[in-house]
Amino acid sequence: MNAVTLTPGHLPTDLADLLTQYTTAQETAQKAHNRLIVAPLSARPPLQEEAEQAALAARQAHGNLASATARANRQIIDSSAGAFFAHIEAARTALATAEAEMRSAAAAAALYATATTHAGRPILDTDTNVARDNPGRQRAMYIVSETRDLLGMLPDALD
């Protein structure tokens, strides 16, 4: 049987349902086969029948899925494109959140660096050489820069 590497969330609902049916049938067939190969010889005849029926059901589910995907090319294109853009938007949101968190981390590191060198003095401004030179702040700002680069590299088209 050929490999099936589809993801349900990328498919139209009816095809996702067929994929789930196929996956379930495959798992059932594998479990039946596993029970068969570890069973004592005397217990194998009914398990052999069960394994054959499960394998047949898996082949039928595979055929149903294959036939349905062949007939649904346009729907697959539309569905997968929609999923692509939804994943890109989720990645964009996650990267923007990561950038904001790293900026906050850099600000906290700057305050820490300033406070450790200004003990007993007012701390109102963290834009100091000590703060800018703090390794934690520098690493956080490096990640901010890399994250901004990643945001700029996100694809905005499939083709």
Side-chain angles (χ1 to χ4, degrees):
M1 194 167 312
N2 294 331
V4 176
T5 59
L6 303 174
T7 302
H10 300 167
L11 295 170
T13 304
D14 56 334
L15 293 178
D17 291 344
L18 286 173
L19 176 60
T20 300
Q21 290 171 20
Y22 165 71
T23 303
T24 301
Q26 274 295 101
E27 289 170 359
T28 300
Q30 186 63 52
K31 287 177 184 174
H33 177 73
N34 290 346
R35 282 192 300 276
L36 174 66
I37 61 174
V38 297
L41 288 176
S42 61
R44 286 191 179 181
L47 294 175
Q48 178 71 37
E49 178 66 27
E50 178 188 339
E52 288 173 2
Q53 291 300 317
L56 176 61
R59 283 192 299 276
Q60 288 172 337
H62 184 271
N64 293 343
L65 178 61
S67 296
T69 58
R71 292 187 310 269
N73 189 264
R74 182 78 247 163
Q75 292 89 341
I76 291 171
I77 289 170
D78 293 344
S79 181
S80 59
F84 173 82
F85 289 114
H87 289 299
I88 294 299
E89 191 53 39
R92 187 179 320 282
T93 299
L95 286 170
T97 299
E99 178 190 353
E101 289 296 328
M102 292 311 297
R103 282 186 186 279
S104 291
L111 178 58
Y112 171 85
T114 303
T116 58
T117 59
H118 288 78
R121 296 186 303 189
I123 302 169
L124 302 174
D125 182 13
T126 59
D127 188 18
T128 63
N129 287 335
V130 168
R132 281 189 292 277
D133 292 342
N134 177 269
R137 182 192 171 282
Q138 289 176 343
R139 286 190 298 268
M141 288 309 293
Y142 174 76
I143 292 170
V144 166
S145 174
E146 292 295 310
T147 304
R148 291 193 63 74
D149 288 346
L150 288 172
L151 279 164
M153 293 188 312
L154 287 175
D156 56 5
L158 278 164
D159 296 325

